[in-house]
Amino acid sequence: GTSACSGVSTPYHFYCENRGDFAKRIFFSRVEDGVCDCCDGSDEKEGTCPARMCKELGEERVRKLKMELVPLEKGLKRRGEYAAAGAEHLQMNRKRVSELSEEIQQGKKKVKELEASLKMARIEERRKSLGGDGLTQLAGEVRDDGGRGISTGSESDTKQSNGNDVEG
């Protein structure tokens, strides 16, 4: 039990129970060395260490830990608030994306409707410009169109069936 064996390697340690605080193990070389390593004084001869201080040390340790918890708990609370606000924003943004997607689909549908109306208007305009005899020619143009749209007569080299130039 003296420090004379401090250089000797041994797997055995002295166990300090330390009631009221954390138990711990110390090297045998620290037992009865005149230094109170265990707060219950069990590592020294009776009367060497001050009155058993484990309860006071344990209470002080708990008080310090509680103080360390205060900012952590505040941070955790704030994190929860941020997470809730973020979830709310995410839900609002998803709803807005859905609304905008619907608007886009409606816009595309409207564009197709307007393109169809424009095509019909061009066909009607072309029919009127060709006169009564132009219906046969118009029918041929629609068949030859291949889905590209009816000629509006704006090309300078377009000719009517009578051979006159059409101005655009």
Side-chain angles (χ1 to χ4, degrees), residues 125-136:
E125 182 181 318
R126 181 77 172 139
R127 186 189 64 77
K128 286 180 182 176
S129 71
L130 293 175
D133 202 26
L135 286 179
T136 306

Side-chain angles (χ1 to χ4, degrees), residues 1 26 31 41 46 49-50 60 67 69 71 77 85 87 90 94 98 104-105 115 117 129 135 139 154-155 166:
I26 61 170
V31 175
E46 191 152 335
C49 296
E60 177 65 16
M67 287 178 58
L69 279 178
K77 181 181 176 186
L90 179 62
R94 285 182 175 162
S98 177
I104 288 170
Q105 292 306 316
E115 286 174 341
S117 293
S129 71
L135 286 179
S154 61
E155 297 87 8
V166 175

